[in-house]
Amino acid sequence: MGERQGLGDSGELRGGQGIPDGAAGRGRPAAAVFDALGAEYERAFAASAAHRESLERLLADLAPGSRVLDVGSGTGRPTAQTLAEAGHRVLGVDVSPVMTALAARQVPTAEFRCADVRDLPLSEGGFDAVCVYFSLLQMERGEQRELVERIVRSLRPGGLLVAATVPVDAADVDAVFMGQPVRVSSFGAEEFTALVTRAGVVVEWEHSALFTPDHPAGAPEPHLFLHGRRP
């Protein structure tokens, strides 16, 4: 699904998902968190209808054979798998070695790299679309702003950005996510939309939903999905 951190659909670095309640001592690095969760993360978020709707909307807007970057690609499902099965060329990036290995096995028609997106060279205009599903949440706010700006520059003119987050006003908050101590940062809905807009994207669609992960420690969390285009 989307990792919650640097690069990927887990993990979305997605990333993975959500800012759970509860204090924890100090958050663990995203790679350690998602290595520990593995396929459990995918199962917990597999039923997200809003994520599926977002992917269907993206597929409808993509030209055949588009080059797509999946930031925080996690286990490769559903994002990379959905795009690759539709004939698109997908590069998934995730900081978790366990997630990256799972993705490579589950979605052999996509390419996956175990890396931190913050360290990954992104060429100007190299992608037709970039997906960032819940993959910023274990990054500091300043890092999130900087990464979104870099991602937008990596889109060709007319390229598509899809971003999803947990729209909560939080900066370096210690929490527990699916039993794992994490440190998370996020923005409220208006602030996150403004961040994407300032980075150079015209937001064309947004959708808010409430989702409860299928996990013993799962609690309802708000999700915000944005679709936009680089002019």
Side-chain angles (χ1 to χ4, degrees):
M1 199 95 180
E3 189 192 309
R4 296 164 182 281
Q5 192 251 347
L7 254 216
D9 192 72
S10 128
E12 2 260 321
L13 292 138
R14 85 338 320 186
Q17 297 201 200
I19 299 180
D21 296 326
R26 183 178 180 84
R28 300 171 67 193
V33 170
F34 290 97
D35 278 351
L37 292 175
E40 185 179 8
Y41 177 89
E42 179 185 320
R43 290 190 294 270
F45 290 90
S48 174
H51 193 149
R52 297 284 180 176
E53 180 182 357
S54 172
L55 285 171
E56 289 172 6
R57 180 173 289 270
L58 175 60
L59 286 176
D61 289 339
L62 283 174
S66 290
R67 178 68 167 155
V68 184
L69 173 65
D70 181 13
V71 176
S73 47
T75 67
R77 300 195 297 210
T79 301
Q81 182 180 62
T82 299
L83 293 166
E85 287 180 349
H88 300 294
R89 297 167 293 153
V90 182
L91 170 61
V93 184
D94 201 288
V95 291
S96 164
V98 170
M99 291 289 202
T100 305
L102 275 170
R105 290 198 299 270
Q106 295 189 146
V107 193
T109 52
E111 176 188 356
F112 296 95
R113 296 182 195 172
C114 184
D116 189 321
V117 69
R118 292 168 292 188
D119 302 325
L120 190 72
L122 297 175
S123 59
E124 178 84 20
F127 295 99
D128 299 298
V130 178
C131 297
V132 190
Y133 284 108
F134 305 102
S135 52
L136 303 177
L137 294 166
Q138 281 184 259
M139 302 174 68
E140 295 178 359
R141 284 176 163 183
E143 292 176 316
Q144 294 186 34
R145 293 188 186 96
E146 182 178 318
L147 179 58
V148 170
E149 290 172 357
R150 288 184 60 226
I151 285 172
V152 172
R153 290 195 297 270
S154 77
L155 287 168
R156 65 165 177 78
L160 304 170
L161 173 69
V162 178
T165 191
V166 178
V168 176
D169 184 7
D172 297 323
V173 173
D174 287 323
V176 176
F177 172 64
M178 292 178 63
Q180 300 294 319
V182 295
R183 175 162 288 184
V184 295
S185 296
S186 189
F187 299 87
E190 290 185 6
E191 290 78 11
F192 188 72
T193 302
L195 182 157
V196 169
T197 301
R198 284 195 298 268
V201 167
V202 177
V203 175
E204 300 178 338
W205 182 77
E206 57 183 280
H207 176 67
S208 296
L210 193 65
F211 181 76
T212 302
D214 183 12
H215 186 270
E221 57 187 53
H223 289 174
L224 173 67
F225 295 81
L226 299 179
H227 284 230
R229 191 180 302 269
R230 180 181 182 181

